[in-house]
Amino acid sequence: MFNKIFTVLVVVIGTAVFVLADEPADKKAKAVAMADEIISMRSNLAKTFIKPDTEITEETFKKVCGAVGKRVKEITEKEGVKIRHAATKYRNPLNAATPEEAEALAQFSKDKKLKETADTVEKEGKKYYRYTKPIFVEEACLACHGAKDKRPKFIIEKYSDDKAYDFKVGELRGVISVMIPIEGGEK
Ligand code: HEC
């Protein structure tokens, strides 16, 4: 009898712990940490490697947005999450905002007090908790995202469909979304 009650208790508590660990609040904390890491990484790298007299080459890119891309890949592979950058004024066409993302961008652009949004999305038949944060332009970003005719040569050559220029400090550059799978969300 005692054994049975004990077993039931273990199962009930075990399930509760499992479910609690998977609460939206837990997912949010994880997503916030990842989004913040990427946003501040890019900002810090740009500040570190771009000085007024720096000659901007592809090597500089590899130390800033290139390094960020690598870190994003590393996190997604290690943590089993998806991370996406999206912009209406994009550089890499893979980051072109979908109509839904364009709406989120318009919202962030209009309301500077809006710091984040969260919802759920379905991708390839799987459900995800999605956390989205805006990315703003800083002085150091202008070396590559500033005036159209001042863009470094490698960017003009490599990105024929580039739209990510003519930004001003403080403007919305794009968004980052972290998507965490919802267990049991498979269809
Ligand atoms: C040395 C040049 C360089 C600097 C400085 C730079 N970027 Fe970029 N950025 C690029 C390039 C090139 C890409 C396209 C990368 C790719 O092919 O995916 C890019 C892509 C991005 C993207 C992904 C969306 C898109 O348009 O494809 C974001 C967001 C972004 N940059 C924001 C910033 C911000 C914010 C700063 C400043 C903190 C910054 N960048 C500084 C060169 C730069």
Side-chain angles (χ1 to χ4, degrees), residues 39-47 49-50 56-66 68-69 85-96 135-145 152 154-155 158-159 162-164 167 171 173-176:
I39 292 173
S40 56
M41 178 186 180
R42 183 186 275 113
S43 165
N44 290 333
L45 290 174
K47 279 195 212 99
F49 292 110
I50 295 174
I56 311 293
T57 64
E58 192 157 9
E59 289 310 306
T60 330
F61 159 71
K62 285 183 186 155
K63 292 178 190 156
V64 185
C65 281
V68 168
H85 281 100
T88 30
K89 281 172 71 175
Y90 56 84
R91 178 151 289 162
N92 184 334
L94 289 175
N95 299 327
I135 301 170
F136 294 101
V137 175
E138 301 166 32
E139 189 68 39
C141 316
L142 300 181
C144 297
H145 296 291
F154 83 94
I155 292 180
K158 213 171 150 187
Y159 298 92
D162 188 21
K163 294 176 171 44
F167 281 99
E171 254 186 298
R173 171 64 187 83
V175 289
I176 180 167

